[in-house]
Amino acid sequence: MRRHTDERAHVLVLHGGQQHSTEPTSWRQLSVLRSRLFAAAVARAGRQDRIGVSFLRYAQRGWNDGAPLRDATWALARVREEHPGIPVGLLGYSMGGRTALHLAGEVDALVTAAAWVEQADLPAVHPPTSGRALLLHGTEDQMTSPEGTLRAAERLREQGAEVDVRTDLADTHGMMRHRADWHRLAGAHLVQTLRTSTCDAGGRGAD
């Protein structure tokens, strides 16, 4: 989505899907298109800070007992191989939010949007290294529950994380009614958190 010659940080964006489906993903699927709008917004927000953005398209459309975790783990390894030593953030929409929560402890920054969260996911949720996270959910979402997002926030806070939660905007699962607000919140959080993580990494390197 966005590359810089001298990147200071990078964000991997994860799209949504279904509970069970072996259908290949396609750029035409709504969850993929919606997630690409988030990715484009983050790319714009992080342009001046030289924050690159990658978009992962899963091999299959379904969660299928955690298949997206394998794809996302592979993608994170690629990001770190191509951009060694820089902070990395995750933004996950819907099923991508579920995936991002499972991998949050391996990155520096986390944003979820309309995340699909099951009770069984919570033991695997750990804070990003920055200790900060942003969780977004519309009040009128009938596909994934805002309660799941609130439970994930509580789990992160129990581990000492500073979690901002916005579940107060009247929006559906597509998050299009207030898309400018969602995009602004997600972009600002990732830029600010990764900027701080970049400065911290630079300071550690100078010791």
Side-chain angles (χ1 to χ4, degrees):
M1 296 290 296
R2 173 81 65 179
R3 290 181 179 270
H4 300 273
T5 55
D6 182 20
E7 289 194 6
R8 298 177 61 84
H10 202 91
V11 175
L12 177 64
V13 178
L14 307 172
H15 66 79
Q18 299 179 351
Q19 184 169 3
H20 302 291
S21 175
T22 57
E23 177 187 359
T25 57
S26 164
W27 294 115
R28 294 186 295 274
Q29 291 162 359
L30 290 179
S31 62
V32 176
L33 293 171
R34 181 64 188 95
S35 303
R36 283 176 64 83
L37 293 179
F38 268 112
V42 173
R44 290 192 298 271
R47 184 185 299 116
Q48 291 187 346
D49 289 88
R50 301 201 301 277
I51 297 174
V53 178
S54 293
F55 187 93
L56 172 66
R57 187 159 60 90
Y58 309 123
Q60 296 181 347
R61 195 174 187 180
W63 176 257
N64 302 336
D65 296 321
L69 290 173
R70 295 187 288 274
D71 293 349
T73 298
W74 170 85
L76 279 175
R78 285 289 303 273
V79 167
R80 292 196 171 100
E81 179 183 339
E82 295 176 5
H83 309 283
I86 66 172
V88 176
L90 283 175
L91 187 156
Y93 167 72
S94 191
M95 186 178 75
R98 186 182 194 183
T99 305
L101 285 166
H102 277 257
L103 298 176
E106 302 180 21
V107 297
D108 300 272
L110 171 70
V111 174
T112 67
W116 168 21
V117 184
E118 300 283 350
Q119 188 69 30
D121 297 320
L122 298 180
V125 175
H126 302 287
T129 58
S130 66
R132 298 186 62 223
L134 173 66
L135 279 55
L136 308 171
H137 218 119
T139 61
E140 299 178 12
D141 193 328
Q142 296 183 355
M143 294 188 67
T144 59
S145 172
E147 292 300 320
T149 284
L150 294 173
R151 287 195 296 270
E154 181 180 1
R155 164 68 178 166
L156 289 166
R157 287 173 178 147
E158 288 172 351
Q159 299 175 82
E162 177 186 341
V163 186
D164 293 325
V165 181
R166 289 294 302 268
T167 58
D168 58 321
L169 293 179
D171 217 332
T172 62
H173 187 67
M175 307 183 87
M176 291 297 290
R177 189 181 302 161
H178 294 284
R179 58 188 177 276
D181 294 308
W182 301 125
H183 292 169
R184 174 181 53 80
L185 290 165
H189 179 87
L190 287 165
V191 169
Q192 292 167 9
T193 303
L194 292 171
R195 183 188 293 154
T196 300
S197 297
T198 300
C199 293
D200 290 346
R204 290 193 297 269
D207 288 342

